[in-house]
Amino acid sequence: MVLGVKIILERMKIMQQKRILTGDRTTGRLHLGHYAGSLQNRVRLQDEYDTFILLADVQALTTHFETPELVETNIYEVAIDNLAVGLDPERVTLIQQSAVPAIAELTVFYSMLVSVNVLRHNPTIKTEAKQYGYDELTYGFLGYPVSQTADITFCGADVVPVGEDQLPHMELTRKIARRFNALYGGGQEMIKVPEAMVSATPRLPGLDGGAKMGKSAGNAIYLSDDTNTVAAKVNMALTDPGRITRTDKGNPDICVVSQYHKVFGAAQCDEICSACRDGKIGCAACKQRLSMQLDTLLAPIRERRAYYEAHKAMVHELIAAGSEKAAKIGEEKTRLVKAAMHLAL
Ligand code: TRP
């Protein structure tokens, strides 16, 4: 009886909770940039929100269509990275994007509501296209923000925690949702217009000083990197190029390491930066302190990662169950959408 009441109360809590949906392309393991920009937020938010995490394998194909087997491996890697940072498998819903037919269906319907010009002027698309060196954008790549709109809206997500590079996509999502509601919603918010929630953490530059940490840029520290790899990568990080000897006065404002200190070791950052400005700490010692700081952060993540790697069948089960739940939610949504669009005879 008491247990029954407890279960009902838990259910009511979940029903009242707002929903978040966010996700990652399954193109590779996740790195510190993902952690700073989104993962640490997810862990905090799971207590408050019904949390949906999308393993975006279809979106991964926009750049990796020639290597789908790599995308498959990375569905697991990305799921494990999310669990390793502390998302609770009992509470979060892990979803394989391609296993939710509603996402594909809604993508098609939404594609009527957005002009090619709007997509072409999306600043994130432009940057990424340049980064991948595309002469010719594929239809799928240009349109992935439309598919992302379907990711977010098939389950009526209220809030989408994202890094700032995703804001143009969020703007599009809100635009499409409003357009849909105006055209077919009969005055109702049939498609929920979601809010973006941007991480308060400053954007993490790449080890080489590149604007963003990224796998393709080869300038990333992965959540799965071991102690020695982290130390070796930190040692390579770009520092103030004007600083030659240990006693030269440094400028932390143009040093990548200082920016990492700011994000991952705020408590010691001021002290280290002023010592650098006074020429009282050398780059080697400063980097060593960062490596230690990162190791403290990564040690429990590595430990959980090892556990889930040893229990891959369980991870598979989690993804299958989450995807099935999502597919059902999506089915209900497309039923309503089709009826509203006069497609249900
Ligand atoms: N485009 C996102 C990224 O590159 C990943 C993503 C796919 C996503 N679908 C999403 C993020 C839905 C938020 C919501 O990081």
Side-chain angles (χ1 to χ4, degrees):
M1 180 60 193
V2 175
L3 188 66
V5 169
K6 212 175 140 195
I7 290 171
I8 291 169
L9 286 176
E10 279 294 312
R11 287 245 170 87
M12 280 169 60
K13 196 175 139 205
I14 290 171
M15 278 162 61
Q16 283 166 2
Q17 271 180 337
K18 288 196 167 189
R19 178 170 292 162
I20 60 176
L21 180 135
T22 187
D24 314 281
R25 287 181 197 173
T26 56
T27 53
R29 292 183 171 194
L30 303 183
H31 51 61
L32 285 179
H34 292 112
Y35 185 82
S38 186
L39 296 174
Q40 62 177 354
N41 249 347
R42 295 178 195 178
V43 176
R44 199 168 46 77
L45 293 168
Q46 69 178 334
D47 296 331
E48 222 181 302
Y49 291 88
D50 181 19
T51 301
F52 280 25
I53 303 294
L54 191 77
L55 307 162
D57 57 350
V58 179
Q59 194 177 115
L61 289 173
T62 61
T63 51
H64 287 61
F65 56 91
E66 287 168 313
T67 50
E69 62 289 344
L70 199 144
V71 173
E72 180 188 31
T73 314
N74 283 311
I75 292 172
Y76 287 99
E77 299 293 352
V78 171
I80 290 175
D81 279 330
N82 270 282
L83 295 168
V85 296
L87 285 178
D88 177 358
E90 302 265 325
R91 280 186 291 170
V92 305
T93 304
L94 289 176
I95 305 162
Q96 183 187 2
Q97 188 187 23
S98 64
V100 183
I103 294 178
E105 289 183 77
L106 291 175
T107 301
V108 176
F109 297 144
Y110 292 161
S111 71
M112 318 305 164
L113 308 182
V114 54
S115 76
V116 173
N117 259 339
V118 163
L119 293 171
R120 283 181 48 204
H121 290 123
N122 179 310
T124 298
I125 292 281
K126 279 198 205 166
T127 312
E128 288 174 342
K130 213 179 288 166
Q131 183 192 329
Y132 292 115
Y134 289 160
D135 301 329
E136 300 223 13
L137 284 185
T138 62
Y139 169 56
F141 185 88
L142 184 67
Y144 89 71
V146 182
S147 159
Q148 191 157 315
T149 299
D151 297 342
I152 294 164
T153 56
F154 88 87
C155 63
D158 300 279
V159 179
V160 184
V162 278
E164 61 175 11
D165 60 320
Q166 298 294 304
L167 286 180
H169 304 341
M170 287 306 300
E171 214 176 291
L172 183 80
T173 295
R174 291 165 56 81
K175 219 169 162 174
I176 292 176
R178 285 205 204 91
R179 189 96 203 278
F180 185 98
N181 292 333
L183 282 170
Y184 313 118
Q188 305 263 41
E189 196 186 35
M190 175 165 260
I191 301 298
K192 172 90 57 70
V193 182
E195 301 287 336
M197 186 191 278
V198 183
S199 159
T201 309
R203 181 206 292 241
L204 205 63
L207 288 163
D208 57 356
K212 204 173 145 184
M213 207 178 247
K215 185 165 55 72
S216 42
N219 61 5
I221 294 174
Y222 292 92
L223 299 176
S224 49
D225 281 345
D226 62 24
T227 306
N228 291 338
T229 309
V230 172
K233 286 183 175 175
V234 168
N235 271 335
M236 281 169 16
L238 184 78
T239 53
D240 172 3
R243 203 170 179 216
I244 314 290
T245 69
R246 206 190 81 68
T247 49
D248 288 347
K249 292 187 190 320
N251 179 5
D253 297 339
I254 54 169
C255 171
V256 167
V257 181
S258 85
Q259 298 191 49
Y260 285 24
H261 275 301
K262 210 176 283 166
V263 173
F264 298 109
Q268 54 175 11
C269 184
D270 287 350
E271 171 224 322
I272 293 177
C273 287
S274 74
C276 169
R277 282 203 171 86
D278 296 341
K280 289 200 173 122
I281 182 173
C283 291
C286 168
K287 284 176 165 175
Q288 201 178 7
R289 287 189 59 180
L290 176 65
S291 296
M292 281 165 56
Q293 191 76 31
L294 291 179
D295 221 40
T296 310
L297 171 76
L298 293 175
I301 296 178
R302 283 186 205 120
E303 207 172 297
R304 281 191 291 261
R305 190 168 222 294
Y307 172 82
Y308 287 111
E309 265 176 353
H311 295 81
K312 260 214 169 123
M314 184 181 130
V315 178
H316 180 271
E317 283 298 305
L318 280 171
I319 300 172
S323 303
E324 197 179 317
K325 171 175 152 189
K328 282 210 186 94
I329 294 173
E331 208 178 307
E332 176 62 13
K333 178 64 88 191
T334 44
R335 204 178 54 75
L336 295 172
V337 161
K338 283 181 180 170
M341 293 182 76
H342 300 271
L343 296 170
L345 295 184

